[in-house]
Every structure is written in C-alpha cells, then in structure tokens.
Amino acid sequence: MASPPLRWRPPQTPPDASVVSPSLLATWSSCRLRATFQRAPATAGLRKMGLRAAVGTVAHAMLEQRFRSQEAFASAWAAESERTYQKLRRVWAPAVPPRPCNWPGWALTKHQVAKRVVRDLRCELSGYSRTRERTQASLTTESADRLPTLPWRERWLEDGDRKLAGRPDLVDRIDGVLTVVDYKTGARDLTNERRDQLLFYAALVQATLGELPVRGEMWRTDGATQGFHIASAAVDDVVRRALLVRDEMNLTSGAQLESKANPGPDTCPYCPFRVACRPFIRAYRSDWVCGQVAVGRVAGVGRLGSQQYVDLEVLAPRWRPKRLRVIGVPQDAPSLGDTWALSDFEGVSETAFFRWNTLTWTWPA
C-alpha cells in the first residue's frame, strides 16, 4: 500500500539536553521520536495533563502532608482537587474538563490515600520520627549546615558534575535504613522502568548527601509496598545509560529519527504526539486499541446551530472514510487547505464529535 500523501517536517531539534531526568531517560529508551517531540518548542504543548495524571497529582500532594484528623484530610483533598481542576481548565481551554468527582479513580484514590496517611502518622507518633533525629547527627557539620533534615519530600536534587536531576517523592531513614521512595497511584508492579527510576534517584541522593540509599521502594496508594536492595553497581549502570542518552540526544537530529521509529500498538496508544507523527500515521491500523487519529486537508468550515464544524478530505489513515465532518470544534478553526490532524474524538464513520480532551495539530506547510 502506498504511503499517504503527507508532507512531513520532523520535529525541530531542541536545544542540547543539558540535564537528564528519570522520565527523559525512560522516554528516550522507549521512543526517541517522542522524547524529541516533547522537548521541541513547537510540539511540547501537545503534552497535557489528563484525568489520571490529575488524580495522581492530588494524591501526591496529600501524601506529602500530615493530618491530625479525617476532617482536615477531607478539606485538604477537596482544596487540592479544585486547584488541580483549575489547572486542567487552563491547560485545555477553551474546552471544559469534567469535575474531580467524575475523574476515573478519584473517590477510590481518596479513600486509599486517607488510609495511608493515617497509617504513616501513627508510625511517626510511635517513634518512627526519632530515626530522623539520627539522620542529622550522621551528617558532617559542614553538610548539616547546608542540607535540610530528612525526610526530603519532593525535593529537587541535582548532580551538577554529571548533569543529572530529579525529584524523588520521599527520601528518609525508615527503621534506620536510608530509603528512597516513589509514590504510584495506578501502578501495580515494580517494573524495570520503575526500578531504574529509583536507582536514578539513589544516584542523586548519593551525590547530594554523600551516602547511597540502601533501599528503593514503590508505595502504592492502596497501602502495598514493593522494594529492593540498592546495589552500587546497578546505580552505576543507570547513570552510565543516562549519560549515553544525553550524548545521543545532543548528536541526533529530528530528521534522523523517523528511520529509527518503531510505532506499534504497545508504544503509541497514549502518546499525545500521534497527531504530529508521520511514522505513527503510516503504521496506524484499525485494530489498534487507542484513541482515534485522523489527518486530512481542510475542505470547509461552518456552523450547525451553535456548534462549529470542520470538513476534512481524509489523507490518513487509509482505512477511514475519505470524508470526515468534525462537529463541536471549540477553538479557532483551521484555514482552508491546511493539513489538520486530531486525536481522541468520537465517531468511526464520516461524522465525528469533539471531546473535551481532543487534541489537534496543524501540520507545517
């Protein structure tokens, strides 16, 4: 089958990657083109907070605090949910996202986090916090003058010599053992990627504190904990890979990445850059389980009552009907003749409807 007639410009190579984070390491390892899209100024805005990420944001904020009563927790949860909702509204304007009570897993996560926070508070009141006093005593006088006492919660850490940086959720001595913790709201298992993230954080803690953490742990909001012993050789391996990734990013142009792309149903379904990615568009099949994507040439713009619509001559995917009317477009319509892409909309026939989280992208001429 012939390739769709799409003129495509690769993402403009962003400025040199001066600092590598755990998320950038994971993204580059999974898809180099995606890592470039999210760093390129023209496409970075396609990466927006979704509802599951919003729930995670609220949960993380609550896990960083301590509450003396369920009422105090409930009040703080409601306030943080509202702050996150307002952020969602700003990010997705003019579309209006659903209220927090309709976010997937919001009520269950609230219940789980409340239980976890109460349990952690009981541990502290029973003497767990005394281990923190030993933390400060274990530091040298010089480092104690410039480093805050553990625990470190959401503290930005940076290794200036190796240009590595990140923000571990928690660094503390738990039962006398220096531990780095990552909170997860939706994760079930401690995968290799999550293990690498903790090892990366361990390297940052060692560079900052002068001591390598002994344990890495993933704490789920349902109370489950998974962890492992941190070996210095494993930390060195993650650091070595991070430095290699930085060099590769700085030496690879966007034009070189298309030939290295490996789009598929396992790597692309939740990528926000599908609307701007020709390798995905060419490989995209109807049996892939992901939000729908279409690219077409704008043939008309109009209104049906109060709703704006755009008519497209579909260029890709090849298996879609050749005409598509998209109804309910909330933003300014594209111009006639533009190559316009949209993702995560409703409708598989010649009529489609915008959702609040439908993404659009006008391809460069």
Side-chain angles (χ1 to χ4, degrees):
M1 182 180 294
S3 300
L6 292 173
R7 294 192 301 273
W8 186 67
R9 291 183 184 178
Q12 181 182 2
T13 305
D16 286 353
S18 57
V19 176
V20 177
S21 66
S23 60
L24 185 57
L25 171 61
T27 302
W28 181 265
S29 301
S30 173
C31 178
R32 298 179 179 184
L33 195 52
R34 177 171 180 168
T36 306
F37 273 127
Q38 74 181 39
R39 295 176 57 240
T43 50
L46 289 169
R47 188 186 181 197
K48 301 181 180 182
M49 179 188 293
L51 297 186
R52 295 190 183 278
V55 173
T57 298
V58 176
H60 273 71
M62 294 299 97
L63 289 165
E64 301 307 325
Q65 303 179 46
R66 292 297 174 263
F67 305 95
R68 295 291 176 174
S69 68
Q70 288 290 347
E71 291 76 14
F73 172 82
S75 176
W77 178 274
E80 188 62 36
S81 296
E82 182 62 25
R83 279 193 290 271
T84 304
Y85 172 71
Q86 294 303 328
K87 180 178 180 181
L88 270 177
R89 290 201 62 168
R90 290 191 296 272
V91 167
W92 288 97
V96 180
R99 296 290 305 177
C101 60
N102 295 317
W103 297 350
W106 180 82
L108 176 60
T109 303
K110 176 183 177 182
H111 174 71
Q112 292 174 338
V113 171
K115 289 176 62 177
R116 176 123 219 172
V117 168
V118 169
R119 189 184 72 175
D120 291 349
L121 178 59
R122 286 172 180 167
C123 289
E124 291 184 16
L125 295 176
S126 66
Y128 162 54
S129 60
R130 286 196 295 272
T131 63
R132 297 173 184 163
E133 298 172 5
R134 292 194 294 272
T135 299
Q136 189 72 7
S138 68
L139 300 174
T140 65
T141 302
E142 179 184 359
S143 62
D145 290 339
R146 57 186 176 85
L147 290 175
T149 306
L150 296 181
W152 295 343
R153 301 184 185 278
E154 292 278 354
R155 180 176 176 79
W156 180 255
L157 303 179
E158 188 164 342
D159 183 341
D161 293 334
R162 295 182 291 191
K163 304 300 182 183
L164 307 177
R167 195 186 303 273
D169 290 330
L170 174 66
V171 180
D172 202 1
R173 294 190 190 276
I174 301 177
D175 295 330
V177 175
L178 186 60
T179 304
V180 59
V181 175
D182 190 43
Y183 298 131
K184 294 296 183 185
T185 56
R188 304 301 302 176
D189 298 312
L190 184 60
T191 62
N192 289 336
E193 180 180 315
R194 293 170 187 137
R195 184 183 294 265
D196 285 350
Q197 182 181 17
L198 286 165
L199 292 170
F200 194 112
Y201 289 147
L204 295 176
V205 173
Q206 184 180 34
T208 306
L209 191 61
E211 179 181 353
L212 183 67
V214 177
R215 288 279 297 172
E217 294 186 349
M218 182 183 80
W219 290 3
R220 296 191 338 220
T221 51
D222 62 4
T225 297
Q226 297 180 44
F228 61 97
H229 174 78
I230 293 177
S232 59
V235 173
D236 292 342
D237 179 64
V238 168
V239 169
R240 177 187 60 80
R241 284 188 279 130
L243 298 179
L244 286 175
V245 162
R246 187 183 64 209
D247 292 341
E248 288 178 359
M249 283 191 290
N250 291 336
L251 293 173
T252 304
S253 68
Q256 296 172 308
L257 293 174
E258 184 174 13
S259 62
K260 298 180 180 180
N262 186 29
D266 297 325
T267 56
C268 296
Y270 302 106
C271 178
F273 307 110
R274 289 170 295 155
V275 290
C277 182
R278 186 167 68 176
F280 166 80
I281 293 296
R282 284 180 164 175
Y284 179 34
R285 293 175 44 178
S286 59
D287 59 352
W288 287 13
V289 180
C290 66
Q292 296 188 73
V293 179
V295 183
R297 195 158 286 119
V298 178
V301 176
R303 284 192 171 275
L304 293 173
S306 62
Q307 293 191 316
Q308 181 177 227
Y309 69 83
V310 173
D311 285 334
L312 294 179
E313 297 174 354
V314 176
L315 302 174
R318 300 295 292 270
W319 44 265
R320 283 198 66 95
K322 299 308 176 187
R323 302 282 296 184
L324 180 65
R325 171 163 288 187
V326 187
I327 301 173
V329 179
Q331 66 260 38
D332 293 340
S335 301
L336 294 179
D338 281 351
T339 300
W340 198 58
L342 66 158
S343 68
D344 300 287
F345 54 90
E346 297 287 347
V348 295
S349 63
E350 293 185 352
T351 302
F353 298 88
F354 250 66
R355 301 192 313 198
W356 72 268
N357 61 339
T358 296
L359 285 172
T360 65
W361 174 250
T362 300
W363 286 40

